[in-house]
Amino acid sequence: ASVAKVIDGKLVAKQIRDEIAAEVSRMKEAVGVIPGLAVILVGDRKDSATYVRNKKKACESVGINSLEVNLPADTTEEQVLNYISGYNDDPSVHGILVQLPLPSHMNEQNVLNAVRIEKDVDGFHPLNIGRLAMRGREPLFVPCTPKGCIELLHRYGISIKGKRAVVIGRSNIVGMPAALLLQREDATVSVVHSRTSNPEEITRQADIIIAAVGQPNMVRGSWIKPDAVIIDVGINPVDDPSSSRGYKLVGDVCYEEAIKVASAITPVPGGVGPMTIAMLLQNTLTSAKRINSFQ
Ligand code: NDP
């Protein structure tokens, strides 16, 4: 039996970062502008702090300026809105990112709506999502994780047009925009969620599976059509006494089973994760170019 090709997100993300770094220095030389990303972190969630640190490091690696503000968990919504409004007006800032989830006393909708759509590098503003959903409209930014999934398919020469695609999960940040993107790429798309009665049967029809659920190893080998392509977005910690940390990260897809059935698959870690940050850098560069009319 053949074994699936491993889609190397780490490698592709590195290639993309190199391309971005070259563009950042070309723009700096030509018009003297350095792209800037402002990241707002509220509270002290460890995972969020890690994500923010990684984003900052990635910015530095390509020459993008990163401004970071760390606010205590009891910050008021008004204070966060004030920061956003300051960055909206700051010409050195081309992208504004509010690390989610916000503390529960804040209204996520109010906060995300306050980001100027021209600086909405996460692509979470309802106007950007609405345009993503509409034919003939173009969003200014596409959410980073689903954009990274599609970019991996493109860079591996996997065609999407006319294919059956199944997205497992319908969250605002991954599943829903992933389904919209696949549809824009002319796939025929089904969305599986927690109320779907026959997820296995539907998933088995897919030529392309994007799994974004948050359930370790949920998608088994029997769910997969032979030679399907699998993009596994899930990042799930599971106990692992043999690791020094006591846990390891696994995807939503049972990798050991899937690799025997699929034609290509992303590993966890090293698949979609690094692509998400690369797409954030790309969106920030795109924004700086657009704001400065630089091509
Ligand atoms: P959410 O919890 O917001 O959404 C999960 C989705 O999965 C929901 O739509 C839910 O359905 C659905 N779901 C839950 N259980 C089942 C089930 N048993 N069967 C079918 N569908 C189910 O998660 P996110 O979208 O934010 O994240 C999903 C995963 O991706 C997580 O593991 C997260 O860590 C990871 N992630 C990875 C990123 C990366 O960069 N690689 C970035 C962001 C997330 P319903 O709508 O009915 O509740």
Side-chain angles (χ1 to χ4, degrees):
S2 63
V3 173
K5 172 189 285 200
V6 177
I7 297 176
D8 190 343
K10 210 172 152 183
L11 182 78
V12 174
K14 168 81 172 76
Q15 288 166 354
I16 293 173
R17 282 200 307 273
D18 289 346
E19 292 161 18
I20 293 169
E23 282 297 282
V24 167
S25 53
R26 188 172 71 86
M27 180 160 72
K28 188 177 167 187
E29 269 163 41
V31 289
V33 173
I34 301 173
L37 174 69
V39 180
I40 301 172
L41 172 63
V42 190
D44 44 20
R45 278 180 68 117
K46 266 206 187 120
D47 55 344
S48 293
T50 306
Y51 294 138
V52 168
R53 200 167 49 243
N54 289 339
K55 287 168 188 175
K56 195 184 163 99
K57 264 199 285 185
C59 282
E60 283 164 9
S61 79
V62 299
I64 290 177
N65 278 338
S66 73
L67 292 76
E68 195 192 315
V69 51
N70 281 328
L71 301 169
D74 61 359
T75 306
T76 65
E77 187 176 309
E78 200 192 343
Q79 286 170 314
V80 173
L81 292 175
N82 279 336
Y83 273 98
I84 292 177
S85 137
Y87 291 137
N88 278 342
D89 296 334
D90 183 341
S92 74
V93 170
H94 307 96
I96 303 170
L97 183 155
V98 182
Q99 184 65 42
L100 300 178
L102 287 165
S104 54
H105 67 276
M106 264 179 231
N107 182 324
E108 184 183 293
Q109 239 184 53
N110 288 346
V111 173
L112 295 183
N113 284 352
V115 175
R116 252 180 75 181
I117 61 162
E118 292 83 3
K119 300 188 178 187
D120 175 38
V121 286
D122 255 340
F124 293 159
H125 193 289
L127 266 176
N128 275 324
I129 296 280
R131 290 179 185 177
L132 184 67
M134 292 170 80
R135 284 185 72 84
R137 304 288 176 96
E138 290 298 329
L140 292 169
F141 302 99
V142 172
C144 301
T145 300
K147 187 178 178 182
C149 295
I150 302 295
E151 186 69 25
L152 281 176
L153 295 173
H154 286 163
R155 297 223 176 197
Y156 273 80
I158 296 161
S159 69
I160 303 174
K161 190 175 182 170
K163 297 286 173 61
R164 295 287 298 252
V166 169
V167 178
I168 315 179
R170 56 174 166 181
S171 70
N172 287 342
I173 63 170
V174 193
M176 177 266 288
L180 294 174
L181 272 174
L182 286 165
Q183 190 161 295
R184 281 179 92 93
E185 299 262 341
D186 294 327
T188 301
V189 184
S190 302
V191 177
V192 167
H193 49 74
S194 72
R195 301 285 176 257
T196 302
S197 56
N198 52 349
E200 174 171 351
E201 192 186 317
I202 292 174
T203 305
R204 208 178 317 147
Q205 297 175 359
D207 303 307
I208 298 169
I209 299 170
I210 296 186
V213 194
Q215 300 281 341
N217 301 323
M218 186 183 87
V219 177
R220 308 297 302 261
S222 62
W223 292 39
I224 301 164
K225 179 163 102 174
D227 292 334
V229 172
I230 301 174
I231 305 291
D232 189 353
V233 180
I235 303 178
N236 308 296
V238 297
D239 289 343
D240 179 17
S242 73
S243 135
S244 58
R245 299 181 296 185
Y247 71 95
K248 63 176 178 178
L249 298 176
V250 303
D252 293 335
V253 178
C254 179
Y255 189 82
E256 294 72 26
E257 291 179 9
I259 199 162
K260 295 181 193 147
V261 189
S263 62
I265 184 168
T266 59
V268 177
V272 176
M275 289 298 289
T276 295
I277 296 192
M279 294 299 104
L280 173 66
L281 303 175
Q282 198 176 68
N283 281 352
T284 306
L285 171 66
T286 302
S287 178
K289 284 182 169 178
R290 185 160 44 216
I291 289 173
N292 292 282
S293 311
F294 177 73
Q295 267 154 17

